[in-house]
Amino acid sequence: MKPPKFDYFAPDSIESALALLTEHGEDARYLGGGQSLVPMMNLRVAAPSALIDLNGIAALRGIRIDEEDRLHIGAMTRTRQIELDATIARANPLLHEAAPHIAHIQIRNRGTIGGSLAHADPAAELPGVVLVCDAEIKLFGPDGARSVATGDFFKNIFSTALQDGDMITEIVFPAWPSTRRWAFQEISRREGDFAMIGIAAWFDLDDAGRISAAGLAAIGAGDTPLRLSSGETVLIGQAPGEKIFAEAARASLSDLQPGSDIHASAEYRREVGGVLVERTLKAAWERSS
Amino acid sequence: MSASTPYIGRSVKRLEDRRFLTGTGRYIDDIKLPDMAVMAIYRSPHAHARINAIDLTAAKAVPGVIDAFCAADIDMDLPEIPLRLAPFDGFERFLQRPIADDKVRYVGEPVAVVIASDRYIAEDALDLIEVDFAPLPAVTQVDQAAAGDTLVHEDAGENMATRYTVGRGDADDAFRRAAYTRRERFTTNRHGAVPMETRGLIAEFNPDTPLLRLHGATKVNFFNRRHLAAAFDLPEAAVELIETDVGGGFGARGELYPEDYLVPIASRRIGRPVKWIEDRRENLTATNHSRDIVCDLEIATTDEGRILGMRATVQGDMGAYIRTNGGVVASKAAQFLPGPYRVPAFSCDVQFLVTNKTPVGTFRGPGRFEANFCRERMLDMVAADLNIDPAELRLRNLMEPADLPYRIGELVPGDVNATFDRGNYPSALNQLLDEVGYADWKDRQGTIIDGRAYGLGIACFIESSAAGPPETARITVAADGAIEIRTGASSVGQGTETGMAQICADYLSVDIDRIGVLHGSTTLVPTGGGTFHSRNTVMAGNAVRMAAETLQARSIELAALRWNTDASGLEYRDGAVHQNDAAASVLSLVELAAFAQSRGTDEALAADAAFDNEGKLSYSYGAHAALVAIDVATGVVEVEKYVLTEEIGRALNPAMVQGQAIGGLVQGLGGTFLDHMVYDEDGQLLTGSFADYLLPTSTDLPDITAIALEESPSEFNPMGFKGAGEGGIVAVAAAVGNAVTHALNAHNIQINDLPITPDRLRAALRAVGA
Ligand SMILES: Cc1cc2nc3c(=O)[nH]c(=O)nc-3n(C[C@H](O)[C@H](O)[C@H](O)COP(=O)(O)OP(=O)(O)OC[C@H]3O[C@@H](n4cnc5c(N)ncnc54)[C@H](O)[C@@H]3O)c2cc1C
């Protein structure tokens, strides 16, 4: 479990990182926290010719709220920081709640949000949360900076809208209404393992106490994180309650497209996905009442 | 022996821990020899294939590669890896040679070897080895093996390595007479020891001296030396097996494996020391697996649930070759099926089937974990069918003290004298029941609170310890007062050094800080039996005791010489010889050691001993209880509380006993819920890394109470010790399986297969509409 030879570069700016990547051709890769890429290299599943280390680029770090109350998180922000940062806990408590489910502290100390999105494991937590929040993913590539909506970002297992040379620079989350209710739950074989199935949920209420907006997303339920729009539709305009949550869960089943592996069958993931939709909605509701 | 230094029975801090905790232990990878090269192994990617051609040209051309070789390049007869234990007739047809020649039979079988200046280069070269394989259909299930359409070893003409029937009494008659019978199939999941530190070896082979020195040895060094010497045509004295610190053995480490031959061959080829460290991916296919059995079990009882007889078929999946542990797993599963109960009639058909998977060996509590699961699950089914409380059913059937000792019969071929020694099995169960508050539980089984179903499961076990050859010890007192113990036993991290020092300190009445312990290496001791089967405290411990007693006598002899007096008036106490004269003269061990030394080198203050229990085994026994809460909608099981009692005769070091129980139990929870070597139909291992082969972690621990009982000291050694290494693991699947069944009693879910996973539980619940 030793990687083949590779070159290593540690640029200090986004531009020089891109230049190095371009120079070293299609087998060069950006290095984030290394918690997915390096194990793959050790198993010789990945054999990049060069690693362009993003850890020294200050412009990729930082957490801030802009004038429109949007939350900006630099791509190289560590998962552990997402878990502990007070600004994030306030500005996107769903993210804060999901982060501790990722691996173990040692891995969260290194792994980054940019790396997690770029890696695009369909069972990973952060892609699910980013998706359910309709966040924007800021990229920098050979044609300069651009932005992709999360709904368009995840293409397939381990496959995204990133083109050759594209780097994730920042993730921008829409403002989080102070009255929003949320919850994240997942089932994994052991604490810290990738989820067999997980659900992220939130909803907002109008003045009449009816659900005015809702987000439901599943991880581990398909080739990408999935938005459960059938479930969301059921919720809109309804007063929250166990009956409507159960109905939303039933409706969500049609959006789940799980596969089977040695840890869980497709049937399990579908069934328990429904259970978790109901439970997260209930937890979200109970959080405030 | 003096009462003033009672180290035995006290939780003395482990002598080993300073070096382990400060990072100064010396593990195999810490050893760096001048001019040392490393070795890596090209392993078969196929479960079953013919080898047409191997091309090493490109691998050899990689800069930094020193040599590469395959079977055809080895200029000696490739030896067969010997059978050490349970060597049943028929197995000789299925032995493994260190490297595949014309055919591979499991994923991970060595095919070629690269020797290079470092591991990175070696792995680069492995990528360039080209092997032309002609794949063959893989045998991955025991039924398929029994059908024999595909033969793993053509020359054997069958996949049945051996098959026999054992028993006692007239089982068929018992079944004819029975008011109640039941039949069930149980399976236990293939998994393994998976020690934290993988295996590793360094060989220094100088054919001229001649000397073969192998570092990284452990467990059974003298057996291994004998066979390595024969394989390499060397006198035994020319083969040195050197122990290092070890990060876990659990049965798998220290057996002879292909690498124990390949590393020396590599060293001999290049005339330099060669190191091989197994990486985790190799570890999961190269190191023995275990536990893989299918058991069809039948039970016959009276209408009051008194057992009249049991009948069983045990099929062991042996993997592709029979390795050193021979038929231990399935034969012990069969032997322990009746367990600590009165089972007057028993008959078991035991089958050893060869498949295209990694060969199996022993893993902590081999056969016991499996047997207890099958029997204890069955007993709970009987209890439910006959409407008897499970604890009551067990108490009705457990052997009573008056039934003991009990000759269990020849339940392993050739083992005619096996006898359960004295004990009080009901007492161990009753104390467990008290501790868990069992009486209050009867009405709470299956209670559902907030979607979580609660259940309490119990299981009883009996477990043998301390078999095998005699063990040796030598104690030497140096002129500076340092006391050194050397024993043929090995340390695999279990605290052997501490335990031996405690015994020595007590029997010599000296301070434990003066004592150092050296173990295992063939250069340190003339012979040794080794470390397995919960042996060390009983076997090596008693050898140390005997050596200390002899050393006392020797001290008195020397003092008599020194004082020029008759030995009869002298007494050994408080670490010195005392003369009951007017002056109350005293000669300390230090003075006696100096005196001995002054008389010449042959006169050291030292004593040797060997302890032989002459095949009389002590049996540990006890009971486990698991309290589980099951999230019915997700199938997630949480073990909230776990209690076990284990009669161990006498605790040498209660903290270490506790550690053994807890460590074993957690390993058992792994085997019950997580650990699982999953193969697909092509014989590919799907759990080839720690992302998929799941071990219990520190985040998954229940509340544990482990109670060591010391009510029934062993009659077979004066200190009363029984083994304490396996009682923590052997009944975990049994107790948990019962607990899960009770929790889900509303749905009549039966746990017959391991591991218990959320997916399997939900599938079972779904099938009954829950
Ligand atoms: C034992 C273990 C358990 C784990 N469990 C979980 C879990 O439960 N849930 C979970 O979500 N994850 C889990 N992970 C994965 C972990 O969270 C990773 O850290 C994460 O998926 C990848 O982030 P990284 O920063 O380490 O990326 P890296 O490993 O450095 O990179 C991953 C990929 O992303 C690319 N990349 C990295 N940064 C960028 C960027 N800014 N722009 C473009 N491309 C980039 C790399 O080139 C590479 O292809 C686990 C990892 C381990 C080792």
Side-chain angles (χ1 to χ4, degrees):
Chain A
M1 295 172 78
K2 303 284 185 217
K5 260 201 189 122
F6 55 88
D7 289 324
Y8 171 84
F9 302 93
D12 57 9
S13 75
I14 292 172
E15 292 74 16
S16 54
L18 176 61
L20 280 164
L21 194 84
T22 314
E23 182 187 332
H24 289 276
E26 55 181 328
D27 289 338
R29 297 277 281 275
Y30 291 126
L31 176 68
Q35 299 303 296
S36 294
L37 183 53
V38 174
M40 291 194 303
M41 290 167 61
N42 286 342
L43 289 163
R44 296 191 175 224
V45 175
S49 57
L51 289 185
I52 318 297
D53 189 345
L54 304 181
N55 284 274
I57 303 177
L60 294 176
R61 293 194 289 266
I63 297 165
R64 69 183 172 89
I65 309 286
D66 68 15
E67 54 291 346
E68 289 167 48
D69 281 340
R70 293 184 304 183
L71 170 67
H72 295 243
I73 302 181
M76 284 301 293
T77 304
R78 312 282 172 195
T79 316
R80 180 74 170 152
Q81 210 177 337
I82 292 174
E83 175 186 359
L84 298 178
D85 185 84
T87 307
I88 292 180
R90 216 172 40 249
N92 193 315
L94 183 56
L95 202 49
H96 170 76
E97 181 162 301
H101 290 278
I102 300 168
H104 304 274
I105 289 176
Q106 294 86 336
I107 292 157
R108 295 201 291 276
N109 278 337
R110 294 299 302 167
T112 66
I113 186 169
S116 177
L117 299 187
H119 186 59
D121 190 307
E125 288 79 1
L126 295 177
V129 176
V130 165
L131 178 68
V132 83
C133 292
D134 288 314
E136 244 179 282
I137 299 176
K138 301 276 190 196
L139 308 180
F140 187 82
D143 300 327
R146 68 185 207 280
S147 165
V148 182
T150 1
D152 301 325
F153 185 77
F154 300 103
K155 298 293 186 196
N156 211 324
I157 301 183
F158 305 127
S159 153
T160 67
L162 289 172
Q163 303 289 316
D164 281 350
D166 278 349
M167 177 196 310
I168 300 176
T169 54
E170 192 180 61
I171 297 86
V172 184
F173 292 83
W176 184 273
S178 61
T179 55
R180 178 168 288 178
R181 293 102 209 277
W182 77 92
F184 180 91
Q185 292 186 14
E186 68 173 46
I187 306 288
S188 55
R189 293 292 301 275
R190 298 170 303 182
E191 190 177 322
D193 283 335
F194 276 103
M196 292 187 281
I197 180 80
I199 299 289
W202 60 264
F203 58 82
D204 296 330
L205 298 178
D206 62 18
D207 294 343
R210 293 202 159 72
I211 296 174
S212 56
L216 284 171
I219 59 171
D223 292 345
T224 64
L226 297 174
R227 198 70 190 250
L228 309 178
S229 45
S230 313
E232 293 171 359
T233 308
V234 167
L235 294 170
I236 304 296
Q238 304 291 327
E242 294 203 7
K243 214 171 125 250
I244 199 71
F245 296 157
E247 213 174 295
R250 251 188 323 274
S252 297
L253 295 182
S254 62
D255 293 329
L256 300 171
Q257 303 156 16
S260 295
D261 63 21
I262 58 169
H263 299 302
S265 61
E267 291 81 353
Y268 179 88
R269 292 188 156 97
R270 181 183 305 280
E271 175 186 64
V272 176
V275 171
L276 293 187
V277 168
E278 208 172 327
R279 286 187 182 176
T280 47
L281 288 170
K282 193 155 171 268
W285 178 230
E286 283 169 358
R287 192 186 293 282
S288 54
S289 53
Chain B
M1 171 176 177
S2 149
S4 62
T5 54
Y7 287 105
I8 296 177
R10 238 193 321 139
S11 294
V12 173
K13 285 213 174 104
R14 302 205 319 168
L15 307 182
E16 300 87 339
D17 285 348
R18 173 173 293 278
R19 69 175 191 274
F20 291 159
L21 296 175
T22 57
T24 50
R26 246 164 82 87
Y27 297 89
I28 183 66
D29 203 29
D30 295 322
I31 294 176
K32 307 213 160 43
L33 300 179
D35 211 23
M36 186 171 74
V38 306
M39 182 186 114
I41 300 170
Y42 178 96
R43 296 180 181 277
S44 172
H46 295 286
H48 198 189
R50 216 159 279 296
I51 300 174
N52 291 331
I54 301 174
D55 185 352
L56 302 175
T57 325
K60 283 184 180 167
V62 174
V65 168
I66 301 159
D67 190 15
F69 62 93
C70 59
D73 303 317
I74 299 173
D75 54 0
M76 63 189 268
D77 287 341
L78 283 174
E80 286 171 336
I81 298 173
L83 287 164
R84 187 172 67 80
L85 299 172
F88 303 132
D89 286 347
F91 284 174
E92 67 285 349
R93 300 168 297 164
F94 298 90
L95 302 184
Q96 183 173 14
R97 293 196 160 80
I99 192 161
D101 185 359
D102 56 340
K103 193 171 146 174
V104 288
R105 295 183 173 88
Y106 63 96
V107 169
E109 181 164 6
V111 175
V113 171
V114 167
I115 313 165
S117 51
D118 70 44
R119 175 88 191 188
Y120 292 84
I121 292 171
E123 288 194 26
D124 288 348
L126 291 186
D127 280 350
L128 298 174
I129 291 177
E130 282 184 37
V131 184
D132 176 7
F133 288 107
L136 298 165
V139 180
T140 61
Q141 307 285 340
V142 286
D143 292 348
Q144 203 189 347
D149 298 333
T150 299
L151 292 179
V152 180
H153 298 255
E154 285 91 348
D155 291 349
E158 58 179 338
N159 294 322
M160 186 74 75
T162 199
R163 177 178 185 171
Y164 61 74
T165 301
V166 286
R168 63 182 179 229
D170 186 342
D172 291 342
D173 180 59
F175 275 81
R176 273 191 298 274
R177 288 187 292 117
Y180 166 88
T181 65
R182 182 160 180 159
R183 181 191 173 96
E184 293 287 330
R185 169 168 282 210
F186 299 99
T187 61
T188 52
N189 43 321
R190 174 175 276 251
H191 59 284
V194 197
M196 177 130 51
E197 184 203 19
T198 57
R199 290 180 300 135
L201 296 165
I202 299 171
E204 300 174 77
F205 202 147
N206 183 340
D208 302 328
T209 325
L211 172 70
L212 166 56
R213 183 180 291 142
L214 196 60
H215 304 260
T218 190
K219 187 171 180 176
V220 283
N221 299 324
F222 287 87
F223 175 90
N224 291 357
R225 179 172 77 163
R226 189 160 76 246
H227 286 275
L228 288 172
F232 290 105
D233 199 16
L234 295 170
E236 274 189 51
V239 180
E240 297 180 354
L241 269 64
I242 312 290
E243 294 201 335
T244 53
D245 281 327
V246 159
F250 310 118
R253 181 195 299 278
E255 295 291 341
L256 285 172
Y257 283 91
E259 298 83 4
D260 292 70
Y261 301 84
L262 295 176
V263 185
I265 290 171
S267 173
R268 188 173 61 180
R269 286 177 72 91
I270 67 165
R272 290 164 56 178
V274 172
K275 173 187 280 189
W276 166 75
I277 302 288
E278 182 183 55
D279 73 22
R280 187 59 69 187
R281 186 161 47 173
E282 289 185 282
N283 172 257
L284 293 171
T285 57
T287 294
N288 290 340
H289 293 177
S290 198
R291 299 271 198 261
D292 195 354
I293 70 158
V294 177
C295 174
D296 289 296
L297 178 61
E298 284 178 283
I299 192 163
T301 76
T302 66
D303 52 13
E304 291 170 330
R306 292 187 201 281
I307 301 169
L308 298 171
M310 285 167 57
R311 278 193 302 227
T313 301
V314 171
Q315 293 179 303
D317 182 334
M318 305 303 293
Y321 298 94
I322 310 292
R323 278 194 182 154
T324 54
N325 297 126
V328 170
V329 174
S331 70
K332 288 290 164 184
Q335 186 189 23
F336 282 98
L337 263 181
Y341 303 98
R342 281 186 294 259
V343 181
F346 173 61
S347 165
C348 190
D349 167 16
V350 192
Q351 305 176 16
F352 300 81
L353 290 147
V354 171
T355 61
N356 291 114
K357 300 193 226 168
T358 292
V360 305
T362 57
F363 170 38
R364 202 174 192 173
R368 287 80 164 171
F369 182 89
E370 300 85 330
N372 291 334
F373 173 68
C374 304
R375 178 193 65 247
E376 295 295 316
R377 283 293 304 117
M378 180 64 105
L379 288 181
D380 265 29
M381 295 181 195
V382 173
D385 288 346
L386 299 180
N387 203 14
I388 303 169
D389 175 78
E392 170 58 27
L393 179 81
R394 286 174 171 81
L395 289 167
R396 265 179 216 177
N397 285 290
L398 278 174
M399 287 188 218
E400 296 284 340
D403 297 321
L404 299 169
Y406 175 72
R407 273 180 85 138
I408 66 172
E410 187 181 353
L411 299 188
V412 174
D415 189 6
V416 288
N417 291 321
T419 305
F420 288 173
D421 54 345
R422 285 181 209 292
N424 188 339
Y425 308 160
S427 169
L429 175 56
N430 281 321
Q431 291 182 63
L432 178 93
L433 298 176
D434 286 348
E435 180 67 27
V436 294
Y438 188 78
D440 301 336
W441 255 94
K442 292 188 185 170
D443 306 327
R444 288 172 59 200
Q445 299 281 23
T447 316
I448 298 187
I449 303 167
D450 286 341
R452 280 155 63 91
Y454 289 82
L456 179 74
I458 58 171
C460 298
F461 71 92
I462 184 154
E463 135 78 4
S464 61
S465 60
E471 195 51 87
T472 60
R474 176 180 180 81
I475 301 176
T476 310
V477 183
D480 66 358
I483 298 172
E484 180 192 87
I485 303 171
R486 295 183 180 211
T487 170
S490 299
S491 172
V492 284
Q494 75 281 54
T496 293
E497 293 170 35
T498 308
M500 296 307 115
Q502 284 180 260
I503 293 169
C504 179
D506 269 7
Y507 278 84
L508 290 182
S509 312
V510 297
D511 198 292
I512 199 168
D513 295 335
R514 288 171 62 184
I515 302 174
V517 182
L518 298 174
H519 50 78
S521 301
T522 61
T523 48
L524 294 173
V525 291
T527 178
T531 294
F532 52 97
H533 201 244
S534 286
R535 248 176 71 93
N536 274 8
T537 297
V538 177
M539 303 300 290
N542 277 290
V544 168
R545 170 188 56 79
M546 290 164 66
E549 286 168 348
T550 308
L551 196 113
Q552 286 193 17
R554 173 90 184 109
S555 300
I556 289 174
E557 258 173 43
L558 280 166
L561 278 172
R562 176 78 172 71
W563 281 323
N564 197 14
T565 174
D566 190 77
S568 61
L570 306 185
E571 190 194 355
Y572 184 97
R573 69 183 134 87
D574 298 332
V577 179
H578 297 254
Q579 186 172 189
N580 297 323
D581 58 3
S585 308
V586 174
L587 275 171
S588 69
L589 280 180
V590 184
E591 289 163 321
L592 289 168
F595 173 61
Q597 204 178 44
S598 71
R599 292 168 46 89
T601 46
D602 294 349
E603 292 279 345
L605 178 49
D608 281 295
F611 179 72
D612 184 353
N613 67 354
E614 289 156 357
K616 293 201 199 75
L617 306 192
S618 291
Y619 287 79
S620 312
Y621 56 85
H624 286 208
L627 167 57
V628 303
I630 303 174
D631 182 348
V632 179
T634 63
V636 173
V637 181
E638 186 189 345
V639 179
E640 291 201 335
K641 188 174 165 61
Y642 204 103
V643 182
L644 69 90
T645 57
E646 181 186 12
E647 169 63 55
I648 57 163
R650 186 163 174 211
L652 169 55
N653 182 319
M656 296 201 311
V657 169
Q658 184 83 4
Q660 286 292 320
I662 293 175
L665 150 54
V666 173
Q667 227 168 9
L669 290 173
T672 303
F673 291 112
L674 298 168
D675 288 65
H676 193 191
M677 298 287 185
V678 183
Y679 282 86
D680 71 10
E681 287 173 2
D682 299 324
Q684 289 295 330
L685 181 69
L686 302 180
T687 49
S689 81
F690 277 170
D692 288 315
Y693 187 87
L694 309 179
L695 290 167
T697 65
S698 59
T699 51
D700 306 307
L701 293 194
D703 168 15
I704 298 169
T705 307
I707 301 169
L709 304 177
E710 300 175 81
E711 298 175 348
S712 184
S714 169
E715 311 144 57
F716 302 137
N717 68 85
M719 294 185 289
F721 297 135
K722 300 178 175 184
E726 298 177 333
I729 194 169
V730 291
V732 179
V736 170
N738 285 338
V740 168
T741 302
H742 285 298
L744 300 177
N745 59 16
H747 308 293
N748 190 25
I749 302 297
Q750 298 294 343
I751 302 296
N752 286 28
D753 306 299
L754 297 173
I756 302 168
T757 68
D759 185 49
R760 285 182 169 180
L761 271 189
R762 274 310 311 163
L765 286 161
R766 216 163 33 237
V768 297

